[in-house]
Amino acid sequence: MGCTGSKGQFETDEGTNDLDRQLLMDRIQELYQFKILLLGAGESGKSTVVKQLRLIYNKKPSKQEMIATGDSLHQNVIDCMKAIIYACEKFGYTFDQEDQKTADLIKDYDEGNRITLEFGKDITRLYNSESCQKAKARDDEFWLLDSCGYYMKNLERFTEIGFMPSEEDCVMARIRTTGIVVSPLESKLPPNKANPDQPKNLLLQMVDVGGQRNERRKWIHCFDDVKAILYIVNLAGYNQVLFEDTTKNRMHESLELLGSVSNNVTFADTPIFLFLNKKDLFEKMILKKDLQHVFPQYSGGKNLETALDFIQQKFVSVMPESKRTLSKGVHFVTGCVKKDIKDAFTEVREVLLQMNEKSIEETVKKIRKEREAVGQKKGFGCA
């Protein structure tokens, strides 16, 4: 028989060595620490998903992070306008004298400065010009941030004195990920009568890495002890080009990258969950241009459900057979909608707990036996 007690197996028995007990409890907690790697091509929305999860699990941004986000929103505006201005030049669209002056100032703008209220008005006038709007209508031919419309709509607010970003601003801000960013989160676990020593929280390590090609060589440093991969796909990417290579279709790049990741021997036993992201943009885009120009075999026209099903099958098909049978493994989401991410990630969390339940229980049993052995060796209350 083992140690007796009205609480968990590892609750203090008279004379138990507190240090030994704590070390064993720490080992139990380690079993409930899941490292989740977010992968995907550049601008698929990985960082947006992480930002939403931080908000969902009550990790509010600090004041310093809010200020940095405000700076990023101003830079997002400049990046979008530069892209549109260069597109105008490429397409042969010209500006009047006043707008040309604004365009020249934008091209030479110091990235360390925030946009003033007055300059913001000039930028808005330029953005609404016929040339800029004609160029923006051809945004499938050049790189442009997906949230350009949001930034321009809110530019006047961004330029107000004392501006601090809202929660929505924080989610919408584009901060290009460089290197490796780890976000620790805690998720409450339901009571488990079969395992009274289960900790109160599941510890999640969300590992976000840059998706651009020059960032991918850093991924190998994150591959150890990964419990799952969230592979994020930009659904609107079927009609967009890469930031780092404007000759490459974003969705083609994403498919190739998933094929490479899912067939990597390092992840042979690692489940992959697909988050097919930016569904809101896709729903609008598919009405203007169907998938056939990038996938000649597609014949579903502009039907939304048919198109979504086709893309899902394309991504599932590049994975090895062992990765295709994961229950609840594919989720259509809009990253800027908190409910979408909360619902999808709740399913991911539950599936991961189920997949690891047996191995955790077996390890806990071993630790319990060690605990009993320690107690018997030291003469504590074990019979």
Side-chain angles (χ1 to χ4, degrees):
M1 296 178 60
C3 299
T4 60
S6 60
K7 296 183 180 180
Q9 290 280 351
F10 297 162
E11 291 293 337
T12 304
D13 295 316
E14 187 178 353
T16 298
N17 184 294
D18 287 341
L19 178 59
D20 287 344
R21 176 176 55 83
Q22 187 58 52
L23 289 172
L24 290 170
M25 288 296 291
D26 288 345
R27 289 177 61 189
I28 292 286
Q29 180 66 77
E30 287 175 4
L31 300 175
Y32 290 88
Q33 181 168 304
F34 289 2
K35 178 180 177 181
I36 300 177
L37 189 58
L38 285 89
L39 298 180
E43 295 177 67
S44 54
K46 299 184 298 299
S47 297
T48 301
V49 171
V50 172
K51 285 187 283 187
Q52 288 285 31
L53 289 172
R54 283 170 59 91
L55 292 169
I56 290 165
Y57 289 104
N58 298 313
K59 294 277 286 189
K60 303 295 183 183
S62 65
K63 184 176 180 180
Q64 186 177 2
E65 289 173 326
M66 295 283 277
I67 293 172
T69 297
D71 292 340
S72 295
L73 288 166
H74 282 245
Q75 186 56 48
N76 293 156
V77 171
I78 297 298
D79 287 343
C80 287
M81 289 307 300
K82 282 183 178 180
I84 293 173
I85 290 165
Y86 289 128
C88 286
E89 293 175 355
K90 176 184 176 181
F91 301 146
Y93 302 150
T94 59
F95 304 121
D96 63 28
Q97 187 175 0
E98 187 174 352
D99 283 343
Q100 185 61 58
K101 181 181 178 181
T102 302
D104 291 338
L105 288 172
I106 289 172
K107 288 193 285 186
D108 295 329
Y109 199 75
D110 185 346
E111 296 183 358
N113 293 332
R114 287 201 176 192
I115 301 166
T116 64
L117 181 62
E118 205 60 40
F119 191 41
K121 292 178 181 178
D122 293 338
I123 291 174
T124 299
R125 180 182 185 279
L126 172 61
Y127 174 73
N128 290 324
S129 69
E130 182 182 1
S131 291
C132 281
Q133 289 302 304
K134 285 168 65 178
K136 190 174 182 296
R138 298 173 63 178
D139 60 4
D140 59 320
E141 300 177 52
F142 65 99
W143 173 87
L144 184 66
L145 287 171
D146 290 327
S147 299
C148 175
Y150 179 86
Y151 305 141
M152 302 312 301
K153 179 181 178 181
N154 291 279
L155 178 55
E156 182 177 355
R157 181 169 58 86
F158 295 166
T159 59
E160 292 174 353
I161 296 174
F163 163 72
M164 287 295 282
S166 65
E167 182 176 299
E168 184 180 18
D169 293 335
C170 292
V171 171
M172 299 298 287
R174 167 62 177 158
I175 304 173
R176 187 166 291 113
T177 304
T178 57
I180 301 164
V181 181
V182 180
S183 297
L185 303 173
E186 291 188 9
S187 172
K188 287 186 179 180
L189 288 166
N192 185 348
K193 293 181 180 180
N195 179 16
D197 302 307
Q198 173 186 279
K200 294 181 179 179
N201 296 312
L202 175 67
L203 305 182
L204 301 166
Q205 278 192 321
M206 309 303 298
V207 183
D208 180 18
V209 292
Q212 267 81 30
R213 290 173 178 175
N214 64 327
E215 292 291 327
R216 294 175 197 167
R217 64 181 183 276
K218 303 173 186 176
W219 289 8
I220 194 170
H221 301 296
C222 314
F223 286 179
D224 293 338
D225 196 30
V226 173
K227 277 289 192 291
I229 292 172
L230 291 190
Y231 190 85
I232 316 298
V233 176
N234 175 4
L235 283 168
Y238 83 93
N239 197 36
Q240 296 172 330
V241 295
L242 295 179
F243 167 77
E244 62 269 41
D245 180 2
T246 56
T247 67
K248 183 72 174 181
N249 179 271
R250 288 193 197 181
M251 188 163 284
H252 284 168
E253 177 85 354
S254 188
L255 281 164
E256 292 168 9
L257 185 57
L258 177 60
S260 175
V261 168
S262 61
N263 284 281
N264 190 309
V265 293
T266 306
F267 301 128
D269 300 316
T270 305
I272 297 178
F273 298 86
L274 295 179
F275 275 28
L276 303 182
N277 189 27
K278 306 192 181 183
K279 185 170 178 282
D280 56 331
L281 298 180
F282 181 83
E283 289 173 348
K284 297 175 183 176
M285 195 174 287
I286 195 66
L287 297 176
K288 299 177 182 178
K289 200 166 190 177
D290 71 25
L291 301 174
Q292 195 169 37
H293 73 290
V294 285
F295 300 110
Q297 68 274 37
Y298 176 74
S299 59
K302 297 177 180 179
N303 181 278
L304 176 61
E305 295 304 319
T306 302
L308 289 174
D309 183 65
F310 178 86
I311 291 175
Q312 175 177 333
Q313 293 307 315
K314 289 292 289 185
F315 277 91
V316 170
S317 70
V318 301
M319 296 193 290
E321 197 68 38
S322 60
K323 302 287 187 187
R324 301 181 190 179
T325 56
L326 179 62
S327 173
K328 300 180 181 178
V330 181
H331 303 270
F332 292 99
V333 299
T334 295
C336 57
V337 177
K338 184 186 289 187
K339 185 178 184 303
D340 275 14
I341 301 304
K342 183 177 181 180
D343 291 347
F345 192 74
T346 296
E347 289 193 2
V348 169
R349 174 185 173 279
E350 294 307 311
V351 170
L352 283 178
L353 283 170
Q354 291 171 12
M355 293 178 70
N356 289 277
E357 184 177 26
K358 186 175 180 180
S359 64
I360 289 175
E361 287 180 356
E362 291 174 351
T363 306
V364 168
K365 287 178 182 178
K366 290 179 182 178
I367 294 175
R368 282 175 176 169
K369 288 180 180 179
E370 289 181 20
R371 170 71 181 87
E372 292 172 3
V374 168
Q376 291 170 353
K377 183 177 180 180
K378 296 187 176 183
F380 301 148
C382 301

